Amino acid sequence: MKLILTTDVSGLGGPGDVVEVKDGYGRNYLLPRGLAIQSTKGAEKNVRTIRRAQDARRVRDLDHAKEIKATLDGLGAIPLKAKAAAGSGKLFGSVTTTDIVTAIKAAGGPQLDKRTVELAGHIKTVGKHTASVRLHPDVSVSVKLEVTAAG
């Protein structure tokens, strides 16, 4: 299936990229979430317009992404409270990307989109963890989290 991406998709490409994906991935994941549109002759002509607009914004976005990276680096370890079992250090559930974005905002950081936060695995214990924030295709920052038991 030939699709045109409308947003950054990790491991696939950026907005305006024409990609060939398996039918199920495109039909069940990319299209319903609005991450891509069906590739047609008219849509492919619009890709050039999308790319020109992106190229004009890219330098400004790169500089802005670097500013946000500097802000996130300056925050240090971000405190995050979650419900945990007494004594064992295991959380009830796990820490989500939404929880991380909320904690960053509460610590004085910028408002981020939860889709930019990437976790290596599930965070199910108290302690120190890291998460990656993809601000721009060229700029990614590692954020340190300090998960503590709430209550």
Side-chain angles (χ1 to χ4, degrees), residues 77-115:
I78 296 168
L80 198 147
K81 291 188 182 246
K83 291 185 179 181
S88 69
K90 291 185 179 180
L91 300 180
F92 296 128
S94 63
V95 175
T96 63
T97 56
T98 305
D99 296 334
I100 294 170
V101 168
T102 305
I104 290 172
K105 182 68 175 165
Q111 180 66 40
L112 299 171
D113 185 6
K114 69 178 184 176
R115 292 174 289 202

Side-chain angles (χ1 to χ4, degrees), residues 8 18 33 63 72 77 104 116:
D8 282 328
V18 179
R33 286 175 173 78
D63 293 338
L72 290 173
I104 290 172
T116 60

Side-chain angles (χ1 to χ4, degrees), residues 127-148:
K128 296 184 181 204
H129 300 277
T130 59
S132 176
V133 179
R134 183 180 32 85
L135 300 169
H136 187 270
D138 298 332
V139 180
S140 184
V141 62
S142 181
V143 177
K144 294 177 184 78
L145 303 170
E146 181 69 40
V147 180
T148 58

